[in-house]
Amino acid sequence: MKFWFLLFMLVTASFSALAVEPDERLKDPVLEARAREISKDLRCLVCQGQAIDDSNADLAKDLRVLVRKRLTAGDTDEEVRQFLKDRYGDFILLNPPVEKKTLLLWLTPAIVLGAGLIVAGVFVRKRSGQG
Amino acid sequence: MIVDLGYGALVLALVFSLLQSVVPLVGANRDKKKWMLFGRRSAMALFVLVSLSFGALMYAHVTSDFSVKNVFENSHTLKPMIYKISGAWGSHEGSMMLWVWMLSLWGFGVERAKKIPLPVQARVLSVQGMIGFGFLLFILMTSNPFARLFPVPMEGMDLNPVLQDPGLAVHPPLLYTGYVGFSITFCFAMAALMEKKVDAAWAATLRPWVLAAWIALTLGIMSGAVWAYYELGWGGFWFWDPVENASLMPWLAGTALLHSVAVLEKRNTLGNWTIFLAILAFSFSLLGTFLVRSGILTSVHAFANDPARGIFILVLLTVAIGGAFIFYAFRAPQVKSGAGFSTVSRETAMVLNNVFLFTFCVTVMMGTLYPVFMSALDLGSVSVGPPYYLSVLLPMLVPFALLMGAAPSLAWRKGSLEKLSIPFILTSMTIVVLLTLPLHEKPLSVLGFGVGGWIVFATSYNLWKKISLKLPRSYFGMALAHIGFGILIMGITATTLWKEEKILWMVRGDHVIVAGHDIAFLGTHKSEGPNYDIDTGIFTVDNGYLTPEKRWYPADEKSTSEVALKVENFNLLYLVLGDQDKDQPDRWVVRIYNHTLVLWILLGALMMAGGGFISITDRRRHE
Amino acid sequence: MNKIPLILFAVLVVFFVVPMLKGKDPAILESVMLGKQVPEFSLPAVVKGKKGFSSKDLRATPAIVNVFSSWCMECRLEQGTLEAIGQIENIPIYGIDYKDTPEKLAPWLKEHGDPYTAIGTDTDGHVAIDWGVYGVPETFVIDAKGIIRYKYVGAVTDEVYRAIFRPLLAELRQ
């Protein structure tokens, strides 16, 4: 039964996703631009893979409106993100924060590239010695 | 009747796949020609049987035979014929059938390739039989597309309208051709490990198969991006979604493989690494299948999941990849010192290319799987989205692109960087010109066009200087693919950074100007499609008409938007009819986007695939 | 060197097997609200004869807060169980009526059951966001100090009650 509930959410969410509606938009272009930037990095919780900026799920719309409300009330971008993080956790941030538990995520590319370059360097040196 | 035959053919295919995994292998080990030849017969039989079975499923879909559960759940009598056909692979069961059919098709291809030495062919087909056995068993045990329903329903539940699109007819078959194509390189790697023979001749045999799979995967990913672009209603084409990443990982591994195979073929070095990549590319194909089908990750593309399927695929994945890596650990030849080369040479460039592509691949894998790791360790839910990939991959893309421009002009053994001065000047001039222009997001724009331009200039200049020499055809293929990649980078840069959008309410007679286009709304018109109702918005744009649609599918109680596009140079004007005002029926939400140079993305991807095609026709052989 | 891929792959498989064995559904988010005070809110009444409620009402005794709606199909499945929980456990059940219309709610309660001590209406869904709600139904367990102790996503059926809510509520009472 739970399956149907989730399926319902996923289907409505992935469906003809039309994102931002005209009525949601703020008059102030600077605030609106900030709102768009923030919404691009917030995850639509019910569609699970999309940003709220790209989704027409009801909750995504509510969150977009909420972001604009907070900005109009004078919150900084960081305060808006923190506000949502307090309620939904790191999951809502599409850009995972750099902290202890995400260290491996952020460092892996550098480690692999570094190790790869070292191995490649040794390999090339060895071969060029013979050449 | 036909449905039962289809099921029977599938069971028989399972039997053949089992025989095919054993008989030719034993034959190759004991040097029995007849046993080895059985592999060929069996590959042919497998192809015929799976085709029959898949054909039977298609027949059930085309004739709307609702006694078949899969048809009932995914079809409707009013659905247009083309979607009845493509609906055969629109469901989980159907897509697995497509997967296995592709596998048998590739096996048939190996059977046809008479130039492959018989023992190698026998071993390749044997490993292919094992993979086929695993997947056929998976279908028969957990995802039988021929399961029946009683009593027979009068009408079907219809296919999700999002899937009722030509995209479904094109994208999955291409993507799966690519995914499954890497099973062949995997089989060749296994065969090489069995024979402990990894050399230039092996690489030459392998090369066209790698290319073929790579071309299909490139086109598969491209068609998926195109589909997303017009289906989603705002022009996004790539989301770093797990399912998309699942196709990007084998592509990156496959691209690395393409280059290391070339080195092995020319210079008889990097043998071990090439085998590893050949295993890796298919491992990522399997991993992708597992991620999509198991529900271990959720994504926009989430399919209805069933834990039994997830466990089965995990076992399959573990046996296939684990088995291959065990084999690799103990059978891969020790690294011998091969021929030498200078520090500045094509060899060095290719090795660096592989370091970068491998790093990209691991990065995408880490981002895709990190939420799974966190969940396994009870560390909470985390999302890894586009900002992560961009901030990690972009800095690495710059040196990679510089290398890519330089490499083709470097000679094997010993090269020099002198020939690069003219492209360097041209690129610098481009950057200077860009710096004087008023651009959105200037630093990133300059960066994107700088690296893209460098690749295009350096590759074209190098080709022009060498054109008088007798170049192999594959060299042109390589150049075309590289230039395509440069154009792709510039297209992505322009589309992402310079897009313009207007989202507004419009009533009849309203005008708006977007990116210099004068757009007027003339109202809407109601009509009926085969299985949906249509509201067509009528707009004049400059001197022509654009007619985006909003469709309502009563069988599913869902609506879709059909965008209207206007091509201008390489830009696209993208028009979407949104919601109707409930209180004022002639007032509609209209979304208008102008995507600058978006067609360069398509052009670039087509050039890459085209370069692959040219290379594959180069039938050089090493004696 | 040749054994490295094998080792890394083995580690990877372990990471796949663990969540599968635990039976975790990746679509269900762990709430970050657990262990925190209930958010400040005040929701107006929506049906005749039933009061609305606010965060103040949740600080006296343990309570259950159920987020539901008349348009939510799955919510129908849990009304009976919630009624039973209210009676057996003698615990107040507060309903947050999520983005609903009063005209539809009254007949819906009559048809599917009304387990609620009080029902407040959250017309724009913003209070639900303060609770970290991302779908309906969701059910919270609050202790006597007004701290959120547990959240269940999906319908609270009899099995869910027996397996999760009964031991939890017994623990809260001690």
Side-chain angles (χ1 to χ4, degrees), chain A residues 15 17-18 20 23 36 43 48 91 94 101 105 127-128 130, chain B residues 162 232 269 336 338 341 370 379 383 385 388 501 505 559 591:
Chain A
F15 204 70
L18 285 175
V20 186
D23 295 346
R36 292 300 296 274
R43 183 173 196 153
Q48 308 260 359
F91 189 76
L94 282 171
K101 58 183 182 181
L105 173 72
R127 291 302 169 84
S128 59
Q130 302 168 354
Chain B
V162 165
L232 285 175
T269 185
K336 302 171 298 219
F341 52 85
Y370 212 73
L379 287 172
S383 296
Y388 168 79
E501 66 166 44
W505 286 103
S559 65
R591 290 155 208 277

PDB file of all heavy atoms in Angstrom, chain A residues 15 17-18 20 23 36 43 48 91 94 101 105 127-128 130, chain B residues 162 232 269 336 338 341 370 379 383 385 388 501 505 559 591:
ATOM      1  N   PHE A  15       5.744  14.347 -13.894  1.00  0.00           N
ATOM      2  CA  PHE A  15       4.857  14.512 -14.994  1.00  0.00           C
ATOM      3  C   PHE A  15       4.740  15.943 -15.516  1.00  0.00           C
ATOM      4  O   PHE A  15       4.497  16.832 -14.738  1.00  0.00           O
ATOM      5  CB  PHE A  15       3.488  13.996 -14.567  1.00  0.00           C
ATOM      6  CG  PHE A  15       2.816  13.644 -15.770  1.00  0.00           C
ATOM      7  CD1 PHE A  15       3.242  12.545 -16.483  1.00  0.00           C
ATOM      8  CD2 PHE A  15       1.918  14.512 -16.294  1.00  0.00           C
ATOM      9  CE1 PHE A  15       2.700  12.286 -17.675  1.00  0.00           C
ATOM     10  CE2 PHE A  15       1.372  14.233 -17.500  1.00  0.00           C
ATOM     11  CZ  PHE A  15       1.755  13.117 -18.192  1.00  0.00           C
ATOM     12  N   ALA A  17       6.520  18.358 -15.946  1.00  0.00           N
ATOM     13  CA  ALA A  17       7.062  19.267 -14.946  1.00  0.00           C
ATOM     14  C   ALA A  17       7.252  20.647 -15.549  1.00  0.00           C
ATOM     15  O   ALA A  17       8.065  20.826 -16.432  1.00  0.00           O
ATOM     16  CB  ALA A  17       8.390  18.726 -14.446  1.00  0.00           C
ATOM     17  N   LEU A  18       6.472  21.580 -15.111  1.00  0.00           N
ATOM     18  CA  LEU A  18       6.532  22.882 -15.758  1.00  0.00           C
ATOM     19  C   LEU A  18       7.123  23.981 -14.896  1.00  0.00           C
ATOM     20  O   LEU A  18       7.260  25.100 -15.327  1.00  0.00           O
ATOM     21  CB  LEU A  18       5.134  23.289 -16.217  1.00  0.00           C
ATOM     22  CG  LEU A  18       4.703  22.512 -17.460  1.00  0.00           C
ATOM     23  CD1 LEU A  18       3.286  22.848 -17.812  1.00  0.00           C
ATOM     24  CD2 LEU A  18       5.617  22.794 -18.630  1.00  0.00           C
ATOM     25  N   VAL A  20       8.328  26.884 -12.421  1.00  0.00           N
ATOM     26  CA  VAL A  20       7.888  28.185 -11.899  1.00  0.00           C
ATOM     27  C   VAL A  20       6.658  28.757 -12.620  1.00  0.00           C
ATOM     28  O   VAL A  20       6.606  28.811 -13.840  1.00  0.00           O
ATOM     29  CB  VAL A  20       9.053  29.190 -12.018  1.00  0.00           C
ATOM     30  CG1 VAL A  20       8.680  30.499 -11.359  1.00  0.00           C
ATOM     31  CG2 VAL A  20      10.306  28.610 -11.406  1.00  0.00           C
ATOM     32  N   ASP A  23       2.591  33.605 -11.314  1.00  0.00           N
ATOM     33  CA  ASP A  23       2.086  34.257 -10.111  1.00  0.00           C
ATOM     34  C   ASP A  23       3.045  34.194  -8.933  1.00  0.00           C
ATOM     35  O   ASP A  23       2.950  34.980  -8.002  1.00  0.00           O
ATOM     36  CB  ASP A  23       0.752  33.628  -9.689  1.00  0.00           C
ATOM     37  CG  ASP A  23      -0.319  33.888 -10.728  1.00  0.00           C
ATOM     38  OD1 ASP A  23      -0.085  34.752 -11.598  1.00  0.00           O
ATOM     39  OD2 ASP A  23      -1.359  33.213 -10.679  1.00  0.00           O
ATOM     40  N   ARG A  36      15.520  32.319  -7.617  1.00  0.00           N
ATOM     41  CA  ARG A  36      15.748  31.285  -8.645  1.00  0.00           C
ATOM     42  C   ARG A  36      17.042  30.533  -8.365  1.00  0.00           C
ATOM     43  O   ARG A  36      17.101  29.314  -8.461  1.00  0.00           O
ATOM     44  CB  ARG A  36      15.829  31.934 -10.038  1.00  0.00           C
ATOM     45  CG  ARG A  36      14.541  32.517 -10.546  1.00  0.00           C
ATOM     46  CD  ARG A  36      13.434  31.503 -10.681  1.00  0.00           C
ATOM     47  NE  ARG A  36      13.682  30.455 -11.647  1.00  0.00           N
ATOM     48  CZ  ARG A  36      13.418  30.560 -12.939  1.00  0.00           C
ATOM     49  NH1 ARG A  36      12.905  31.662 -13.424  1.00  0.00           N
ATOM     50  NH2 ARG A  36      13.652  29.561 -13.749  1.00  0.00           N
ATOM     51  N   ARG A  43      16.329  20.505  -3.409  1.00  0.00           N
ATOM     52  CA  ARG A  43      15.765  19.319  -3.998  1.00  0.00           C
ATOM     53  C   ARG A  43      14.250  19.270  -3.781  1.00  0.00           C
ATOM     54  O   ARG A  43      13.766  19.540  -2.697  1.00  0.00           O
ATOM     55  CB  ARG A  43      16.394  18.100  -3.322  1.00  0.00           C
ATOM     56  CG  ARG A  43      15.939  16.818  -3.904  1.00  0.00           C
ATOM     57  CD  ARG A  43      16.722  15.693  -3.293  1.00  0.00           C
ATOM     58  NE  ARG A  43      16.556  14.511  -4.104  1.00  0.00           N
ATOM     59  CZ  ARG A  43      17.445  13.538  -4.170  1.00  0.00           C
ATOM     60  NH1 ARG A  43      18.559  13.628  -3.506  1.00  0.00           N
ATOM     61  NH2 ARG A  43      17.224  12.495  -4.917  1.00  0.00           N
ATOM     62  N   GLN A  48      12.417  13.639  -5.776  1.00  0.00           N
ATOM     63  CA  GLN A  48      13.673  13.007  -5.386  1.00  0.00           C
ATOM     64  C   GLN A  48      14.867  13.259  -6.289  1.00  0.00           C
ATOM     65  O   GLN A  48      15.981  13.134  -5.847  1.00  0.00           O
ATOM     66  CB  GLN A  48      13.486  11.491  -5.215  1.00  0.00           C
ATOM     67  CG  GLN A  48      12.341  11.162  -4.301  1.00  0.00           C
ATOM     68  CD  GLN A  48      12.768  10.798  -2.895  1.00  0.00           C
ATOM     69  OE1 GLN A  48      13.929  10.766  -2.588  1.00  0.00           O
ATOM     70  NE2 GLN A  48      11.828  10.542  -2.025  1.00  0.00           N
ATOM     71  N   PHE A  91      19.262  16.470   3.091  1.00  0.00           N
ATOM     72  CA  PHE A  91      18.680  15.887   1.888  1.00  0.00           C
ATOM     73  C   PHE A  91      18.149  16.944   0.937  1.00  0.00           C
ATOM     74  O   PHE A  91      18.170  16.772  -0.277  1.00  0.00           O
ATOM     75  CB  PHE A  91      17.549  14.933   2.287  1.00  0.00           C
ATOM     76  CG  PHE A  91      17.015  14.124   1.150  1.00  0.00           C
ATOM     77  CD1 PHE A  91      17.735  13.049   0.665  1.00  0.00           C
ATOM     78  CD2 PHE A  91      15.813  14.443   0.556  1.00  0.00           C
ATOM     79  CE1 PHE A  91      17.256  12.292  -0.391  1.00  0.00           C
ATOM     80  CE2 PHE A  91      15.322  13.691  -0.505  1.00  0.00           C
ATOM     81  CZ  PHE A  91      16.043  12.621  -0.979  1.00  0.00           C
ATOM     82  N   LEU A  94      20.907  20.185  -2.768  1.00  0.00           N
ATOM     83  CA  LEU A  94      21.487  19.428  -3.881  1.00  0.00           C
ATOM     84  C   LEU A  94      23.009  19.541  -3.882  1.00  0.00           C
ATOM     85  O   LEU A  94      23.699  18.731  -4.473  1.00  0.00           O
ATOM     86  CB  LEU A  94      20.917  19.909  -5.210  1.00  0.00           C
ATOM     87  CG  LEU A  94      19.516  19.382  -5.531  1.00  0.00           C
ATOM     88  CD1 LEU A  94      18.961  20.076  -6.749  1.00  0.00           C
ATOM     89  CD2 LEU A  94      19.539  17.880  -5.755  1.00  0.00           C
ATOM     90  N   LYS A 101      31.204  13.860   7.321  1.00  0.00           N
ATOM     91  CA  LYS A 101      30.655  12.663   6.676  1.00  0.00           C
ATOM     92  C   LYS A 101      30.602  12.753   5.150  1.00  0.00           C
ATOM     93  O   LYS A 101      30.330  11.758   4.496  1.00  0.00           O
ATOM     94  CB  LYS A 101      29.280  12.332   7.261  1.00  0.00           C
ATOM     95  CG  LYS A 101      28.268  13.422   7.136  1.00  0.00           C
ATOM     96  CD  LYS A 101      26.970  13.011   7.828  1.00  0.00           C
ATOM     97  CE  LYS A 101      25.927  14.103   7.653  1.00  0.00           C
ATOM     98  NZ  LYS A 101      24.670  13.781   8.307  1.00  0.00           N
ATOM     99  N   LEU A 105      33.359  12.011  -0.187  1.00  0.00           N
ATOM    100  CA  LEU A 105      32.712  12.404  -1.433  1.00  0.00           C
ATOM    101  C   LEU A 105      33.482  13.524  -2.122  1.00  0.00           C
ATOM    102  O   LEU A 105      33.738  13.476  -3.319  1.00  0.00           O
ATOM    103  CB  LEU A 105      31.275  12.867  -1.130  1.00  0.00           C
ATOM    104  CG  LEU A 105      30.499  13.480  -2.282  1.00  0.00           C
ATOM    105  CD1 LEU A 105      30.115  12.426  -3.282  1.00  0.00           C
ATOM    106  CD2 LEU A 105      29.249  14.184  -1.773  1.00  0.00           C
ATOM    107  N   ARG A 127      59.365   4.269 -18.934  1.00  0.00           N
ATOM    108  CA  ARG A 127      59.414   4.006 -20.368  1.00  0.00           C
ATOM    109  C   ARG A 127      60.326   4.987 -21.108  1.00  0.00           C
ATOM    110  O   ARG A 127      60.984   4.630 -22.066  1.00  0.00           O
ATOM    111  CB  ARG A 127      58.016   4.083 -20.977  1.00  0.00           C
ATOM    112  CG  ARG A 127      57.130   2.958 -20.543  1.00  0.00           C
ATOM    113  CD  ARG A 127      57.741   1.609 -20.919  1.00  0.00           C
ATOM    114  NE  ARG A 127      57.035   0.519 -20.275  1.00  0.00           N
ATOM    115  CZ  ARG A 127      55.930  -0.026 -20.759  1.00  0.00           C
ATOM    116  NH1 ARG A 127      55.413   0.415 -21.873  1.00  0.00           N
ATOM    117  NH2 ARG A 127      55.349  -0.992 -20.109  1.00  0.00           N
ATOM    118  N   SER A 128      60.315   6.241 -20.650  1.00  0.00           N
ATOM    119  CA  SER A 128      61.130   7.208 -21.387  1.00  0.00           C
ATOM    120  C   SER A 128      62.607   6.949 -21.126  1.00  0.00           C
ATOM    121  O   SER A 128      63.450   7.285 -21.947  1.00  0.00           O
ATOM    122  CB  SER A 128      60.749   8.636 -21.001  1.00  0.00           C
ATOM    123  OG  SER A 128      60.933   8.831 -19.621  1.00  0.00           O
ATOM    124  N   GLN A 130      63.933   4.076 -21.187  1.00  0.00           N
ATOM    125  CA  GLN A 130      64.398   3.089 -22.163  1.00  0.00           C
ATOM    126  C   GLN A 130      64.542   3.680 -23.553  1.00  0.00           C
ATOM    127  O   GLN A 130      65.273   3.163 -24.369  1.00  0.00           O
ATOM    128  CB  GLN A 130      63.381   1.945 -22.304  1.00  0.00           C
ATOM    129  CG  GLN A 130      63.091   1.245 -21.026  1.00  0.00           C
ATOM    130  CD  GLN A 130      61.893   0.357 -21.194  1.00  0.00           C
ATOM    131  OE1 GLN A 130      61.237   0.371 -22.222  1.00  0.00           O
ATOM    132  NE2 GLN A 130      61.612  -0.429 -20.186  1.00  0.00           N
TER     133      GLN A 130
ATOM    134  N   VAL B 162       3.724  10.161 -20.730  1.00  0.00           N
ATOM    135  CA  VAL B 162       5.077  10.680 -20.967  1.00  0.00           C
ATOM    136  C   VAL B 162       5.831   9.755 -21.923  1.00  0.00           C
ATOM    137  O   VAL B 162       6.639  10.179 -22.732  1.00  0.00           O
ATOM    138  CB  VAL B 162       5.852  10.812 -19.641  1.00  0.00           C
ATOM    139  CG1 VAL B 162       7.328  10.987 -19.894  1.00  0.00           C
ATOM    140  CG2 VAL B 162       5.344  11.979 -18.842  1.00  0.00           C
ATOM    141  N   LEU B 232      10.116  17.795 -21.042  1.00  0.00           N
ATOM    142  CA  LEU B 232       9.931  18.324 -19.698  1.00  0.00           C
ATOM    143  C   LEU B 232       9.288  19.702 -19.663  1.00  0.00           C
ATOM    144  O   LEU B 232       8.781  20.121 -18.647  1.00  0.00           O
ATOM    145  CB  LEU B 232      11.268  18.363 -18.960  1.00  0.00           C
ATOM    146  CG  LEU B 232      11.724  16.983 -18.499  1.00  0.00           C
ATOM    147  CD1 LEU B 232      13.104  17.062 -17.881  1.00  0.00           C
ATOM    148  CD2 LEU B 232      10.741  16.406 -17.485  1.00  0.00           C
ATOM    149  N   THR B 269      51.304  -1.777 -25.637  1.00  0.00           N
ATOM    150  CA  THR B 269      51.479  -1.540 -24.208  1.00  0.00           C
ATOM    151  C   THR B 269      50.118  -1.163 -23.611  1.00  0.00           C
ATOM    152  O   THR B 269      49.170  -0.946 -24.361  1.00  0.00           O
ATOM    153  CB  THR B 269      52.539  -0.452 -23.951  1.00  0.00           C
ATOM    154  OG1 THR B 269      52.746  -0.353 -22.551  1.00  0.00           O
ATOM    155  CG2 THR B 269      52.133   0.888 -24.492  1.00  0.00           C
ATOM    156  N   LYS B 336      54.830  -6.151 -18.032  1.00  0.00           N
ATOM    157  CA  LYS B 336      56.177  -6.269 -18.605  1.00  0.00           C
ATOM    158  C   LYS B 336      56.575  -4.890 -19.125  1.00  0.00           C
ATOM    159  O   LYS B 336      55.720  -4.067 -19.409  1.00  0.00           O
ATOM    160  CB  LYS B 336      56.177  -7.238 -19.800  1.00  0.00           C
ATOM    161  CG  LYS B 336      55.690  -8.628 -19.482  1.00  0.00           C
ATOM    162  CD  LYS B 336      55.512  -9.420 -20.743  1.00  0.00           C
ATOM    163  CE  LYS B 336      54.472  -8.782 -21.622  1.00  0.00           C
ATOM    164  NZ  LYS B 336      53.580  -9.640 -22.334  1.00  0.00           N
ATOM    165  N   GLY B 338      57.305  -2.631 -21.900  1.00  0.00           N
ATOM    166  CA  GLY B 338      57.079  -2.656 -23.348  1.00  0.00           C
ATOM    167  C   GLY B 338      58.031  -1.708 -24.035  1.00  0.00           C
ATOM    168  O   GLY B 338      59.097  -1.366 -23.506  1.00  0.00           O
ATOM    169  N   PHE B 341      59.131   5.245 -24.883  1.00  0.00           N
ATOM    170  CA  PHE B 341      58.693   6.458 -25.591  1.00  0.00           C
ATOM    171  C   PHE B 341      59.162   7.671 -24.807  1.00  0.00           C
ATOM    172  O   PHE B 341      59.497   7.579 -23.626  1.00  0.00           O
ATOM    173  CB  PHE B 341      57.184   6.471 -25.784  1.00  0.00           C
ATOM    174  CG  PHE B 341      56.398   6.242 -24.526  1.00  0.00           C
ATOM    175  CD1 PHE B 341      56.101   7.308 -23.682  1.00  0.00           C
ATOM    176  CD2 PHE B 341      55.960   4.967 -24.181  1.00  0.00           C
ATOM    177  CE1 PHE B 341      55.375   7.092 -22.533  1.00  0.00           C
ATOM    178  CE2 PHE B 341      55.238   4.760 -23.022  1.00  0.00           C
ATOM    179  CZ  PHE B 341      54.938   5.819 -22.190  1.00  0.00           C
ATOM    180  N   TYR B 370      27.069   7.802  -3.280  1.00  0.00           N
ATOM    181  CA  TYR B 370      27.303   8.292  -1.921  1.00  0.00           C
ATOM    182  C   TYR B 370      26.067   8.216  -1.033  1.00  0.00           C
ATOM    183  O   TYR B 370      26.160   7.800   0.126  1.00  0.00           O
ATOM    184  CB  TYR B 370      27.884   9.713  -1.921  1.00  0.00           C
ATOM    185  CG  TYR B 370      28.800   9.954  -0.756  1.00  0.00           C
ATOM    186  CD1 TYR B 370      30.060   9.389  -0.718  1.00  0.00           C
ATOM    187  CD2 TYR B 370      28.382  10.705   0.345  1.00  0.00           C
ATOM    188  CE1 TYR B 370      30.899   9.579   0.361  1.00  0.00           C
ATOM    189  CE2 TYR B 370      29.217  10.892   1.437  1.00  0.00           C
ATOM    190  CZ  TYR B 370      30.474  10.327   1.438  1.00  0.00           C
ATOM    191  OH  TYR B 370      31.298  10.500   2.518  1.00  0.00           O
ATOM    192  N   LEU B 379      24.062   7.227   8.332  1.00  0.00           N
ATOM    193  CA  LEU B 379      24.549   8.594   8.535  1.00  0.00           C
ATOM    194  C   LEU B 379      23.538   9.634   8.045  1.00  0.00           C
ATOM    195  O   LEU B 379      23.852  10.799   7.910  1.00  0.00           O
ATOM    196  CB  LEU B 379      25.885   8.798   7.815  1.00  0.00           C
ATOM    197  CG  LEU B 379      27.079   8.097   8.467  1.00  0.00           C
ATOM    198  CD1 LEU B 379      28.307   8.201   7.596  1.00  0.00           C
ATOM    199  CD2 LEU B 379      27.353   8.691   9.830  1.00  0.00           C
ATOM    200  N   SER B 383      21.859  14.503  -0.403  1.00  0.00           N
ATOM    201  CA  SER B 383      21.627  14.587  -1.840  1.00  0.00           C
ATOM    202  C   SER B 383      22.900  15.021  -2.516  1.00  0.00           C
ATOM    203  O   SER B 383      23.603  15.890  -2.019  1.00  0.00           O
ATOM    204  CB  SER B 383      20.544  15.626  -2.149  1.00  0.00           C
ATOM    205  OG  SER B 383      19.336  15.227  -1.600  1.00  0.00           O
ATOM    206  N   GLY B 385      23.724  16.573  -6.025  1.00  0.00           N
ATOM    207  CA  GLY B 385      23.063  17.089  -7.225  1.00  0.00           C
ATOM    208  C   GLY B 385      24.018  17.807  -8.151  1.00  0.00           C
ATOM    209  O   GLY B 385      25.244  17.770  -7.964  1.00  0.00           O
ATOM    210  N   TYR B 388      27.401  19.675  -7.154  1.00  0.00           N
ATOM    211  CA  TYR B 388      28.576  18.858  -6.824  1.00  0.00           C
ATOM    212  C   TYR B 388      29.354  18.513  -8.092  1.00  0.00           C
ATOM    213  O   TYR B 388      30.559  18.728  -8.183  1.00  0.00           O
ATOM    214  CB  TYR B 388      28.151  17.579  -6.100  1.00  0.00           C
ATOM    215  CG  TYR B 388      29.262  16.557  -5.991  1.00  0.00           C
ATOM    216  CD1 TYR B 388      30.260  16.684  -5.039  1.00  0.00           C
ATOM    217  CD2 TYR B 388      29.331  15.480  -6.874  1.00  0.00           C
ATOM    218  CE1 TYR B 388      31.289  15.763  -4.951  1.00  0.00           C
ATOM    219  CE2 TYR B 388      30.358  14.547  -6.793  1.00  0.00           C
ATOM    220  CZ  TYR B 388      31.339  14.694  -5.836  1.00  0.00           C
ATOM    221  OH  TYR B 388      32.359  13.790  -5.760  1.00  0.00           O
ATOM    222  N   GLU B 501      14.524  33.653 -20.578  1.00  0.00           N
ATOM    223  CA  GLU B 501      13.210  33.053 -20.361  1.00  0.00           C
ATOM    224  C   GLU B 501      12.191  34.090 -19.944  1.00  0.00           C
ATOM    225  O   GLU B 501      12.510  35.109 -19.335  1.00  0.00           O
ATOM    226  CB  GLU B 501      13.291  31.952 -19.301  1.00  0.00           C
ATOM    227  CG  GLU B 501      13.638  32.464 -17.926  1.00  0.00           C
ATOM    228  CD  GLU B 501      13.387  31.438 -16.833  1.00  0.00           C
ATOM    229  OE1 GLU B 501      13.741  30.280 -17.022  1.00  0.00           O
ATOM    230  OE2 GLU B 501      12.824  31.819 -15.793  1.00  0.00           O
ATOM    231  N   TRP B 505       1.465  35.303 -17.850  1.00  0.00           N
ATOM    232  CA  TRP B 505       0.079  35.081 -18.254  1.00  0.00           C
ATOM    233  C   TRP B 505      -0.144  35.819 -19.565  1.00  0.00           C
ATOM    234  O   TRP B 505       0.289  36.957 -19.708  1.00  0.00           O
ATOM    235  CB  TRP B 505      -0.884  35.654 -17.219  1.00  0.00           C
ATOM    236  CG  TRP B 505      -0.985  34.865 -15.957  1.00  0.00           C
ATOM    237  CD1 TRP B 505      -0.412  35.175 -14.750  1.00  0.00           C
ATOM    238  CD2 TRP B 505      -1.716  33.662 -15.754  1.00  0.00           C
ATOM    239  NE1 TRP B 505      -0.732  34.229 -13.823  1.00  0.00           N
ATOM    240  CE2 TRP B 505      -1.538  33.283 -14.410  1.00  0.00           C
ATOM    241  CE3 TRP B 505      -2.503  32.850 -16.584  1.00  0.00           C
ATOM    242  CZ2 TRP B 505      -2.117  32.139 -13.865  1.00  0.00           C
ATOM    243  CZ3 TRP B 505      -3.080  31.719 -16.032  1.00  0.00           C
ATOM    244  CH2 TRP B 505      -2.890  31.358 -14.695  1.00  0.00           C
ATOM    245  N   SER B 559      -2.079  15.045 -18.011  1.00  0.00           N
ATOM    246  CA  SER B 559      -1.878  15.906 -19.175  1.00  0.00           C
ATOM    247  C   SER B 559      -0.396  16.012 -19.500  1.00  0.00           C
ATOM    248  O   SER B 559       0.453  15.818 -18.642  1.00  0.00           O
ATOM    249  CB  SER B 559      -2.462  17.284 -18.923  1.00  0.00           C
ATOM    250  OG  SER B 559      -1.755  17.914 -17.891  1.00  0.00           O
ATOM    251  N   ARG B 591       5.136  29.909 -21.347  1.00  0.00           N
ATOM    252  CA  ARG B 591       6.570  29.908 -21.037  1.00  0.00           C
ATOM    253  C   ARG B 591       7.341  30.008 -22.341  1.00  0.00           C
ATOM    254  O   ARG B 591       7.108  29.226 -23.248  1.00  0.00           O
ATOM    255  CB  ARG B 591       6.967  28.594 -20.363  1.00  0.00           C
ATOM    256  CG  ARG B 591       6.449  28.438 -18.992  1.00  0.00           C
ATOM    257  CD  ARG B 591       6.341  26.968 -18.657  1.00  0.00           C
ATOM    258  NE  ARG B 591       5.283  26.818 -17.684  1.00  0.00           N
ATOM    259  CZ  ARG B 591       5.469  27.016 -16.391  1.00  0.00           C
ATOM    260  NH1 ARG B 591       6.660  27.327 -15.935  1.00  0.00           N
ATOM    261  NH2 ARG B 591       4.465  26.908 -15.556  1.00  0.00           N
TER     262      ARG B 591
END
